[in-house]
Amino acid sequence: MTATADPTRSFQGLILALQGFWAEQGCVVLQPYDMEVGAGTFHPATTLRSLGPKPWRAAYVQPSRRPKDGRYGENPNRLQHYYQFQAILKPSPPDLQDLYVRSLAAIGIDLSLHDIRFVEDDWESPTLGAWGLGWECWCDGMEVSQFTYFQQVAGLECAPVSGELTYGLERLAMYVQGVENVYDLNFNGRDGIERISYGDVFKQAEQEYSRFNFEYADTALLFQHFKDAEAEARHLLEAGEPEAEGEHHKLALPAYDQCIKASHLFNLLDARGVISVTERQSYIFRVRELAKACGAAWLRTAGGGAA
Amino acid sequence: MPDLLLELLSEEIPARMQAQAAADLQRLVTNALVDRGLTYEGAQCFATPRRLALHVVGLPARQPDTREERKGPRVGAPEAAVQGFLKSAGLASLAEAKVVADPKKGEFYVALLERPGRATPAVLAEVIPSIILAFPWPKSMRWGAGSDRPDALRWVRPLQSILCTFGADTEEPEIVPFSIGGIASGDTTRGHRFMAPGAFRVKRFEDYIASLHKAFVVLDVERRKSIISHDARDLAFAQGLDLVDDEALLDEVAGLVEWPVVLMGRFDESFLDIPPEVIRATIRANQKCFVARRLGEARLANRFLLTGNMVTPDEGATIIAGNERVVRARLSDAKFFWESDLKVKLEDRLPKLDSIVFHEKLGTQGERVKRVAALARKLAPIIGADPDKAERAAHLAKADLVSEMVGEFPELQGLMGRYYAAAQGEDASVAAAVEEHYKPQGPSDRVPVDPVSIAVALADKLDTLVGFWAIDEKPTGSKDPYALRRAALGVIRLVLESAVRLPLLERVFQHSAIFAGRATKQQFVKDVSPVYASTLLSEGEKQTVIGRQVGQVLKGEKEGKRQAFEEIAINLLAFFADRLKVYLRDKGARHDLIDAVFALPGQDDLLMVVRRVEALGRLLDTEDGKNLLAGHRRAANILRAEEKKDGAGAFEAAFDPALLDKEEEQVLAASLGRVQTDTTAALAREDFEGAMRAIATLRPAVDAFFDKVTVNAEDAGLRVNRLRLLNALRDTTLTVADFSKVGG
């Protein structure tokens, strides 16, 4: 194996190894969704595809934005933009835990030397109206993945249930590369002058976006964008309604995009500290209502299994 | 006699649910068996992170046969009745029924129902699936391909296999055959997920437990706990360290491993600058590891003990290194929180409390802090605390709730406040009170001794209690979401153990007025705001105008609601009386006399109530006391009977000394006068023993009176006068306690 492809030598090698592993399990390997999201779960390949009866398997990297976690590039572990690797299998196969453990072996974790544990951690996303039961997966005391059996998404029962695996890529890479600071990660697996680190790629972005998230984002504009996204979602949901019995909803995916937008705008407003504790609940509620409506619309499309 | 062995292997069961689940499995299965006539000699249940197991010993091979006679209609009854009988008894025709003659009712049919007992495995195959289907997990889930069916099997996490065998020691056990959610029962299981993942066959319990052990699974949680506890202690001791005990952590960790392997890791000495409680909380909450002290020292060592689930060729070196990395990162975070918290003064955090809702109807933490600070100041003189310090401590007491550290580790509330208060140079008593105002947290928690701490602790708890009473959110039955019973117990312990004289009624009355004011103000502002919204007044002017009006409304209200506040005070006092009984009972003291003391007017000083109860208890332990109580009962019974004839209150007037015609009457009358004077004087000195001693001297006079005097004399005048004398006796005893409330 070249250093570039070695999951223990480069960040991209880790991604390639996970993609290869899950491709072998019949997953479609997708690219990141081209919108700002807080977690890989927001990708319609997970949120919407986990609804309805159709079997589905996908794996992808998703850049995830958590405006509040920005630390101006000063914290060795915290980032406002980081990568999640997501695998979703519907219905959840009986050997999913085993597959997960084998995926760790595929990225260079020797299972005879490490202590892998499944520790209770039930997952809930109030903005997506979603919850599931599962674990945080520990490797030698470190949480490296989240493992969830979705029970509900967008307020709808999952039938059948999907299994979702989310790997925190930076943390895993730091572990397998033996690095203490995320910015020291080797990104491309080269040495010397050819070496490009995670810091080379992202440090400046962390600094600039931290400024934006905490100081410069125009809150009046953000509030307006939130309202616009919400209104557009409502408009699309209504406009896409089938005209006759037996027809499909025509705009479930574009409507869901607006829901994603609203969710991210809420996160930005939250980071700017302009949403009070009581208002917070009502914003979460508004996004959830959009997610629910989009989920319901999706079930009336071909992808959602409608006849 | 044959045994049942049942194992349900699943994906990882949350540690906190394991023990209850194992107990539920045992209870549900054994109850179902007994209900079906299958008694057993013994049963044992087990849980690991991946399995629930049950062993039932000494079951019969089959159910006993049963015989039942079912009575039918009389001979010659209408056809419909006969058909109904045949159907319900499962008979083909009346020829299968007996005819029984009854001398009164004549002849009627009887069906003889004989049910042969079924083989135990058949019963088990029916019972166990239904128990699995309806298992009482606190949270359960669906999974996999079958999960789209409405009747899909639910379990805590996906169920993987079921082992279920039945048989005697001497023979090959049989599989109890059933299938549920696509899983067929069998006689195989698996070992440790990584060290022995293969399936193996199991015959019976001894074989099961031994095979599991070979496959790196310690089935019994007590055994796992003892391994962890011993190994951790030994490892620590070898390094000259003393393990910091943590039962709750031990329970949790034992539920996270099937094969415990204790390892020791270290962290940088420089982290020891962080308070030890923070280090412990960090390592415990995030890493589920134990910490250790240097032998004979209070401070922590830079070591931690982790419990792995693996035996590795490098003897755990990789696992230790990995855990050390995480502990390092966590402690770095904690150090960052600690250092950045120290940069902000506690009072500068207070504005944030204004946006934290304590309870929807009771307002924010900020409002609460103001109330508690004012109350602490008022209470301080009673306790001998400096009012300024008490107010200051209360003012700062909740500020750490919005510190980074408490945000991360809520269990450190109070303690962090104390550290931060001390660091910013607050008075030692103030800093201590910031931590101790939460105390005592329960019956075994320490009661603070510093008067400042006591004042703030009392104020905090009273504010909580009065607040929830004012909005009518009292504990009911087993529901006490705001831990109000604990708060009341806290007040009781603070008052009694620190000998604090606190007249509760007045305090509660005053404090409830504050809450009523709050509700009124809110409603008023809500009502008038729309009126002012359209005016041209500036925001500041609006506030002033509204504020003035609110003031007037409140003034009127305080008078108008007087009765409501009094009711709250009386009701809350009754709650205290109740809690006091529980407290005294738990201490093994006499609690049955509390009602006798609380029945007297104005008893709202818990310390005095308890002292009086104690004195009364001692009186009633003496011969004089017992006889006096008997005499009092006799007097009360007579009075009750005679009042029925003459009307209530008929004998309340003073007796006429001139009509005391027998010597015993005169002696009793004289004693009453003397005793009344003596008890009143003693009570004025709060000398309850003295009051009880004085009342006890009534005994000979009372005994002699009942011995020699006929109360219901022929002469009506004498009768009424004697009844009035008895009434005076009753009144006299009432100065020390209401004897009619004494039980036994």
Side-chain angles (χ1 to χ4, degrees):
Chain A
M1 197 187 309
T2 65
T4 322
D6 183 347
T8 66
R9 293 284 309 279
S10 76
F11 189 64
Q12 64 205 37
L14 178 69
I15 293 174
L16 292 170
L18 283 173
Q19 284 185 342
F21 178 86
W22 288 105
E24 288 300 314
Q25 312 308 324
C27 290
V28 293
V29 175
L30 297 174
Q31 299 307 313
Y33 202 56
D34 58 342
M35 293 186 69
E36 299 146 310
V37 294
T41 308
F42 278 83
H43 196 310
T46 291
T47 325
L48 296 181
R49 294 280 179 177
S50 65
L51 294 171
K54 286 188 158 184
W56 175 250
R57 286 189 176 198
Y60 53 89
V61 173
Q62 181 62 50
S64 304
R65 304 217 190 197
R66 306 256 167 109
K68 261 184 151 171
D69 284 349
R71 293 294 182 271
Y72 295 84
E74 298 294 328
N75 186 294
N77 298 303
R78 252 181 233 240
L79 303 163
Q80 57 83 41
H81 170 285
Y82 67 102
Y83 282 137
Q84 284 189 344
F85 187 91
Q86 173 99 353
I88 170 116
L89 293 90
K90 173 180 155 190
S92 64
D95 58 345
L96 188 55
Q97 266 191 320
D98 193 40
L99 287 177
Y100 168 70
V101 167
R102 280 166 49 205
S103 77
L104 293 182
I107 56 173
I109 292 177
D110 181 343
L111 298 176
S112 71
L113 287 179
H114 293 272
D115 187 19
I116 310 295
R117 227 81 73 68
F118 295 89
V119 181
E120 180 192 14
D121 190 29
D122 301 340
W123 172 83
E124 187 185 13
S125 168
T127 42
L128 281 178
W131 69 275
L133 298 191
W135 311 273
E136 45 181 60
C137 310
W138 283 18
C139 176
D140 304 332
M142 179 172 62
E143 185 194 344
V144 289
S145 312
Q146 185 77 37
F147 189 135
T148 308
Y149 291 102
F150 282 160
Q151 302 295 300
Q152 256 193 15
V153 170
L156 299 158
E157 289 288 312
C158 296
V161 163
S162 304
E164 182 208 46
L165 293 163
T166 304
Y167 304 75
L169 285 180
E170 284 81 356
R171 206 185 280 183
L172 256 182
M174 284 165 74
Y175 196 56
V176 295
Q177 289 190 28
V179 163
E180 298 282 328
N181 187 321
V182 65
Y183 297 108
D184 294 339
L185 280 174
N186 188 330
F187 211 110
N188 62 350
R190 298 300 180 96
D191 293 315
I193 193 155
E194 291 187 327
R195 181 180 192 273
I196 296 178
S197 72
Y198 193 91
D200 294 332
V201 182
F202 285 121
K203 186 147 187 168
Q204 182 187 333
E206 280 300 312
Q207 293 163 340
E208 293 190 5
Y209 278 102
S210 293
R211 282 175 214 136
F212 171 76
N213 298 338
F214 293 123
E215 302 166 55
Y216 293 95
D218 181 335
T219 55
L221 206 60
L222 291 175
F223 275 121
Q224 189 55 50
H225 286 341
F226 183 92
K227 277 188 211 146
D228 290 346
E230 189 183 31
E232 180 71 339
R234 293 272 167 222
H235 162 234
L236 295 175
L237 283 165
E238 205 186 309
E241 279 290 326
E243 276 151 31
E245 186 91 3
E247 283 183 25
H248 290 172
H249 195 284
K250 295 192 288 281
L251 294 165
L253 286 164
Y256 180 65
D257 280 357
Q258 298 302 318
C259 169
I260 296 180
K261 258 187 199 165
S263 171
H264 178 64
L265 289 160
F266 161 70
N267 288 341
L268 278 171
L269 286 164
D270 199 25
R272 290 286 276 118
V274 291
I275 291 183
S276 76
V277 182
T278 34
E279 283 172 322
R280 220 170 164 271
Q281 289 311 312
S282 94
Y283 274 93
I284 290 172
F285 173 78
R286 283 159 75 179
V287 177
R288 179 166 66 240
E289 289 304 301
L290 291 184
K292 281 180 171 177
C294 292
W298 167 258
L299 286 183
R300 289 180 288 141
T301 69
Chain B
M1 295 263 265
D3 295 356
L4 164 69
L5 177 60
L6 172 66
E7 183 207 60
L8 302 160
L9 183 75
S10 68
E11 299 181 6
E12 274 75 354
I13 306 166
R16 65 191 169 91
M17 299 179 189
Q18 291 166 17
Q20 183 64 47
D24 284 342
L25 182 65
Q26 174 172 341
R27 175 179 54 85
L28 292 168
V29 171
T30 53
N31 283 355
L33 290 176
V34 171
D35 286 350
R36 287 160 183 75
L38 293 168
T39 52
Y40 60 98
E41 285 164 14
Q44 250 188 311
C45 59
F46 303 91
T48 79
R50 292 179 68 204
R51 56 198 95 219
L52 296 181
L54 174 65
H55 181 215
V56 183
V57 186
L59 278 164
R62 51 191 315 117
Q63 291 172 308
D65 298 341
T66 58
R67 241 178 101 91
E68 185 197 338
E69 286 195 348
R70 188 172 299 171
K71 208 174 144 191
R74 65 183 163 75
V75 173
E79 185 57 16
V82 172
Q83 286 306 323
F85 167 61
L86 291 177
K87 201 176 166 198
S88 78
L91 302 183
S93 75
L94 281 177
E96 292 174 20
K98 268 198 317 184
V99 174
V100 175
D102 183 284
K104 286 181 194 157
K105 296 179 192 158
E107 290 187 322
F108 57 91
Y109 296 108
V110 167
L112 199 60
L113 303 176
E114 287 188 333
R115 277 195 219 91
R118 296 162 66 206
T120 304
V123 178
L124 288 167
E126 194 177 275
V127 161
I128 294 173
S130 60
I131 289 171
I132 293 174
L133 277 173
F135 200 79
W137 289 109
K139 267 187 191 173
S140 64
M141 56 167 276
R142 299 166 293 122
W143 65 92
S147 57
D148 52 351
R149 300 192 1 205
D151 62 343
L153 171 61
R154 303 182 70 92
W155 201 243
V156 65
R157 292 294 183 277
L159 186 61
Q160 288 174 328
S161 69
I162 301 170
L163 178 154
C164 192
T165 63
F166 182 79
D169 298 357
T170 47
E171 54 198 69
E172 193 75 353
E174 59 179 299
I175 294 172
V176 176
F178 60 88
S179 171
I180 181 164
I183 303 165
S185 59
D187 59 358
T188 61
T189 186
R190 291 169 184 277
H192 188 280
R193 180 185 287 288
F194 296 101
M195 294 192 282
F200 55 87
R201 194 161 163 259
V202 170
K203 286 187 184 167
R204 61 183 59 84
F205 183 69
E206 291 70 27
D207 171 39
Y208 171 68
I209 205 160
S211 305
L212 278 181
H213 204 269
K214 268 185 234 149
F216 300 97
V217 175
V218 179
L219 183 64
D220 185 356
V221 67
E222 291 307 321
R223 180 89 195 95
R224 293 197 301 276
K225 278 166 68 173
S226 116
I227 292 171
I228 297 167
S229 164
H230 279 103
D231 290 359
R233 223 168 284 284
D234 288 353
L235 265 178
F237 189 76
Q239 303 272 332
L241 304 176
D242 194 10
L243 184 76
V244 177
D245 283 321
D246 193 331
E247 270 303 311
L249 181 62
L250 182 60
D251 282 339
E252 185 180 6
V253 168
L256 291 173
V257 292
E258 291 205 303
W259 190 259
V261 179
V262 181
L263 301 167
M264 182 183 275
R266 56 178 71 206
F267 53 85
D268 200 281
E269 285 267 2
S270 67
F271 287 122
L272 293 174
D273 297 342
I274 315 171
E277 296 88 347
V278 172
I279 295 179
R280 183 175 171 206
T282 304
I283 290 180
R284 175 190 207 276
N286 297 314
Q287 296 313 120
K288 322 262 183 237
C289 295
F290 297 90
V291 291
R293 294 188 197 94
R294 303 232 160 262
L295 272 179
E297 288 181 33
R299 70 188 195 106
L300 291 182
N302 62 330
R303 299 286 197 287
F304 64 91
L305 291 123
L306 73 100
T307 310
N309 191 37
M310 283 289 285
V311 179
T312 63
D314 65 353
E315 294 179 340
T318 310
I319 297 172
I320 292 173
N323 275 275
E324 284 178 344
R325 272 175 64 95
V326 192
V327 165
R328 188 156 58 234
R330 296 290 191 180
L331 288 178
S332 300
D333 279 349
K335 194 170 181 175
F336 174 79
F337 294 149
W338 166 244
E339 285 168 356
S340 54
D341 278 350
L342 284 175
K343 288 179 193 148
V344 183
K345 289 210 147 205
L346 285 175
E347 49 266 60
D348 294 341
R349 297 190 181 279
L350 293 176
K352 272 200 175 168
L353 293 179
D354 292 334
S355 58
I356 296 178
V357 176
F358 169 68
H359 182 281
E360 190 199 346
K361 289 183 183 160
L362 296 175
T364 64
Q365 281 284 7
E367 288 177 68
R368 191 166 129 71
V369 165
K370 288 186 193 89
R371 287 194 306 266
V372 173
L375 183 55
R377 185 172 189 91
K378 281 186 201 143
L379 293 175
I382 305 177
I383 300 143
D386 178 337
D388 289 338
K389 286 184 189 172
E391 186 179 9
R392 174 76 181 160
H395 184 62
L396 301 178
K398 306 288 181 191
D400 69 349
L401 291 179
V402 287
S403 68
E404 301 255 9
M405 192 69 85
V406 176
E408 196 71 17
F409 301 109
E411 71 270 28
L412 295 181
Q413 67 177 20
L415 181 73
M416 293 321 297
R418 178 184 194 155
Y419 276 113
Y420 299 142
Q424 70 182 42
E426 297 293 335
D427 175 270
S429 288
V430 170
V434 168
E435 178 189 6
E436 294 178 336
H437 83 281
Y438 288 110
K439 290 182 175 296
Q441 295 269 23
S444 52
D445 194 19
R446 186 171 61 82
V447 171
V449 288
D450 189 308
V452 176
S453 295
I454 295 169
V456 185
L458 276 174
D460 187 55
K461 289 166 184 65
L462 283 174
D463 178 73
T464 304
L465 286 163
V466 177
F468 283 104
W469 247 254
I471 60 168
D472 203 21
E473 286 269 2
K474 300 165 202 165
T476 51
S478 61
K479 284 204 188 100
D480 184 10
Y482 306 108
L484 300 178
R485 291 194 180 103
R486 195 171 74 186
L489 175 65
V491 172
I492 289 170
R493 289 195 57 205
L494 283 160
V495 163
L496 298 185
E497 293 178 34
S498 320
V500 175
R501 301 289 305 274
L502 178 62
L504 281 168
L505 280 174
E506 179 60 19
R507 239 335 105 225
V508 172
F509 174 78
Q510 293 290 350
H511 208 64
S512 43
I514 297 174
F515 285 99
R518 183 183 185 282
T520 307
K521 188 171 163 185
Q522 249 184 359
Q523 190 55 48
F524 185 81
V525 172
K526 205 170 151 195
D527 290 346
V528 302
S529 291
V531 178
Y532 287 99
S534 54
T535 64
L536 292 174
L537 296 175
S538 74
E539 196 52 41
E541 287 166 331
K542 269 186 240 170
Q543 294 296 332
T544 320
V545 174
I546 294 175
R548 204 177 308 134
Q549 292 179 336
V550 167
Q552 271 157 8
V553 171
L554 287 184
K555 216 160 124 195
E557 176 170 73
K558 197 161 179 179
E559 284 316 305
K561 287 208 172 156
R562 201 170 178 86
Q563 205 190 340
F565 303 156
E566 273 166 7
E567 265 167 36
I568 290 173
I570 287 164
N571 194 302
L572 184 53
L573 189 66
F575 182 67
F576 272 115
D578 234 32
R579 293 291 98 198
L580 186 59
K581 269 186 234 173
V582 174
Y583 169 77
L584 291 180
R585 189 175 57 214
D586 290 349
K587 286 192 69 169
R590 272 193 91 155
H591 57 276
D592 58 323
L593 303 179
I594 290 187
D595 287 335
V597 174
F598 265 111
L600 303 179
Q603 293 299 316
D604 69 339
D605 180 330
L606 298 179
L607 185 64
M608 291 302 110
V609 167
V610 169
R611 295 221 170 132
R612 192 185 282 241
V613 164
E614 286 164 357
L616 179 60
R618 278 190 288 273
L619 168 70
L620 294 178
D621 280 344
T622 64
E623 272 312 298
D624 281 349
K626 282 182 191 131
N627 280 308
L628 181 64
L629 179 64
H632 171 273
R633 286 215 174 110
R634 204 161 154 191
N637 287 341
I638 294 171
L639 283 166
R640 199 175 312 125
E642 299 310 308
E643 275 167 352
K644 271 191 196 140
K645 296 178 199 157
D646 294 31
F651 315 114
E652 273 176 12
F655 57 84
D656 179 355
L659 289 177
L660 297 171
D661 113 313
K662 293 213 168 183
E663 191 195 341
E664 289 77 11
E665 285 181 83
Q666 291 153 10
V667 172
L668 179 58
S671 307
L672 284 177
R674 178 176 43 77
V675 166
Q676 184 100 43
T677 315
D678 291 352
T679 51
T680 310
L683 288 174
R685 297 192 305 271
E686 291 174 348
D687 174 9
F688 300 113
E689 298 289 342
M692 297 301 164
R693 263 199 312 276
I695 207 100
T697 62
L698 276 176
R699 179 202 164 180
V702 172
D703 285 355
F705 176 87
F706 281 122
D707 211 24
K708 296 275 159 46
V709 181
T710 309
V711 177
N712 282 319
E714 301 264 330
D715 181 305
L718 280 184
R719 170 179 168 268
V720 168
N721 203 52
R722 285 175 184 168
L723 286 165
R724 285 178 176 164
L725 184 60
L726 285 187
N727 193 58
L729 166 65
R730 188 166 62 175
D731 283 351
T732 306
T733 58
L734 264 178
T735 53
V736 295
D738 185 343
F739 278 51
S740 69
K741 297 270 162 74
V742 176

